[in-house]
Amino acid sequence: MPGHEPTTKADQHELETGLIEFGRLQTKITQVYQERCTKAAQHYFDAVKAASEPMVDGLSRTASPLDLWRDASAYWLDFSQRSILFWDTLRQRGNNWIEHEKAGKPPLLDFDWEMVADARTFERPANYALVRIVPPDGIKTDPELRPFVIIDPRAGHGPGIGGFKQDSQVGVALKAGHPVYCVIFFPDPMPGQTLADVSRAEAEFLRIVGECHPKTRKPVLFGNCQGGWASMLVGAMEPDLVGPIVINGAPMSYWAGNDGENPMRYAGGILGGTWPALLASDLGAGKFDGAYLVENFEYLNPANTYFDKYYTLFSKVDTEPERFLEFERWWGGFFLMNRDEIRWIVENLFVGNNLADGDAEWSEGRAFDLRAIKSPIILFASLGDNITPPQQAFNWVADLYPTTEALKANGQVIIGLMHKSVGHLGIFVSGQVAKREYTQITDLIGYIEHLPPGLYGMQVEEHESDGAVHYDVLLTERRVEDLQVLQKYERKDEMPFKAVETASEALASTYETFVHPFISAIVTPAGAEMRRAMHPQRSQRWAVSDLNPFLWPLKGMADLAKANRLSRDNDSPMVMMEHWTAAMTSASLDLYRDLRDAAVESAFFRTYGPASIGMADSAQFAEPEEAVDIRNAALVKEALAHIEDGNRTEAIVRAALLLAKEGTGRRRLSAMKKARELVGQDIGLLDMPAERARGIIREQSYIVDFEPVRALAALPKLLRSPEDRRSLRVLLDRLEGRIEANSKQVLLLAEIRRLLSEDLAEGQAKAKPIAMTLVKSPTKDRPKARAQSASQRRMREHRRTRSSS
């Protein structure tokens, strides 16, 4: 029919365009796969070369047959002794695991503690508790200092990672004089427990801590990994209970990452979404076994899982067992979750990525809104973390706030700290990280509440003086748009994950309809307990313990080997061959991992990539359609209406912000300390509640950002008496010469002094043409902030359509 011809041509054009895009996508996937395989092979050959050169050099040395015989004899005797000690250490690991299980898997804190509150007795019970850390001998806490509350991850393992050793988050806070509390949890969840119950319990813990320390500021909340997003949920649910939030290695934007670097993000798509977690929960009689999560972690690095950590123990069996056994006691403690808990986590975080979108509901119709968080936030991530890559730790900021102006308009302070190399577990347990990063974070906590809203990059600088290493913190103002530097492809590779979410919902619905009723009817609690006991993560421990009668002679043999232990020559040919064999084994497993991950990534994009064709115009960073003038935001509008209103404290804060605006955008912790020592008590912020102080700083920062010239001209009107003007001049005189100032700041100081001159009539001071260029209002030299990106609108419309259907 003639009337349908345009539609037919349009459909044909769309089909042709789709086919072309499909071909390009397949070509790109093939190219990336080939590049990854080539890179993996090159890494393998480099490892072979690095391992072979020392062995070839060692074997090329001439030696007599007698020397070779002696070397071989000594090596095999040493090898036999190390083998006995190695297996005896594994036997001790098994015994420790059994003892830990019998004891109920208590938290592995390296500090004494006492119970404060048990959430199992709450109206909505949860398997959580609040404990107070008892300071060790020689350390006293100051009741006037704000308390620290540390939430450890409930991601398969038990609690205690934040206080695993003396040099830890707990240890650093105690040494700084802060009272410390830890949120622990028990192995089995309460019947019917949900993630909302957990968040309510953690909020109640914060309320209790606040009541125990009524004279201090609100508690600092430390969240590790899963405990990081749990801390953010509490901050969003009860923002008035929380002080500064520090989240370490915490995944917040689960789709984020880079191709070829972060294979774990593909797991949800390759496994089909939510249904495997539901199946595992049903086979566990309604409980999800944390051993599966630990298995996923170990999957990422097969070389370490199956060889490296054991060879390290074997090669250093005289010194390594204590560290090995200490870590394995925590690594082998597996905790459970309810079916509803793991389902919420997988649906809303791993697969749905709903947290930053504001679609993660904690009860029907009530979602967590991270914009409700009022406290400053510190994000700590590492480039060496393959479980929570930096993109997953930081990208939620760009999802939540499209521009820097939007972040500032919400009054938020966010500080990002990036480590260059430490791995995921090292973020929490490394003694070096505790001494360097966590010590500086703890020191910075007392100052970040007086920062104006914005995004800051944090660097820990070190220098030697008098034979000792000293640290300082440098804060640099950043823009939200700068986060794009973490990405290779402007986040376009996240589009297929939307298809994963849709497929997951379909498969989960099918599973719930046809499979769940059958399995839940035949699985018994006793059978589930037996399956958990036979899980490889557990069986490898109890099978190599004193429960095994074949290993009973092992302890006596180990004692004999220790009593007759012989040293070895680490430069001997036999030892070099051992090291070469170990290096080749590890390199081969790394090659397998790289090829496997490349194949998984290729399969993921071949499966879900075609569904993203045509989405290019609605990509995460596509040009949005609507613009919003941030000046019309409620907080900004209110502040600009009071440019000429205020008192002495607000005048001093405004003057400080004007001077900072003319600076480099950098703030040093040492300089902030010096300024507080010089004039801190005179300003008045330290004596008022933190919320009021933050409100003053936020309001004045808006005035200075959007109307800097008017802010300066109106400064005398905030100081209505000669005494107030004189006091500000005295403060400026006290600061000048004690802190570094550039030429613009020197000129601005002179202009402020002129405006505050006592010979001007009170209230009649008028600003002359200013001899320096104040930075213009953000709305005059930057694009207008966007309400939300096109992809965010599309996703919300998509979810509303699914909900209505």
Side-chain angles (χ1 to χ4, degrees), residues 710-721:
R710 289 180 60 196
L712 177 60
L715 194 60
K717 296 184 179 181
L718 277 63
L719 300 165
R720 304 188 183 279
S721 69

Side-chain angles (χ1 to χ4, degrees), residues 135-143 145 173-179:
D137 294 339
I139 294 180
K140 292 184 178 180
T141 58
D142 185 350
L145 292 180
L174 287 175
K175 290 176 183 176
H178 294 273

Side-chain angles (χ1 to χ4, degrees), residues 11-74:
D11 291 344
Q12 183 178 0
H13 176 72
E14 184 178 353
L15 176 61
E16 291 174 354
T17 303
L19 290 174
I20 293 173
E21 289 296 322
F22 178 79
R24 290 175 178 173
L25 175 65
Q26 297 301 314
T27 301
K28 180 65 176 177
I29 293 172
T30 301
Q31 290 176 346
V32 171
Y33 176 69
Q34 291 174 344
E35 291 172 1
R36 288 202 60 190
C37 290
T38 302
K39 186 177 180 180
Q42 186 60 51
H43 284 169
Y44 177 74
F45 291 135
D46 291 344
V48 170
K49 182 179 179 181
S52 300
E53 288 178 351
M55 187 189 70
V56 172
D57 291 341
L59 295 179
S60 63
R61 301 170 191 165
T62 57
S64 65
L66 182 60
D67 290 338
L68 292 175
W69 173 256
R70 288 173 178 169
D71 174 63
S73 300

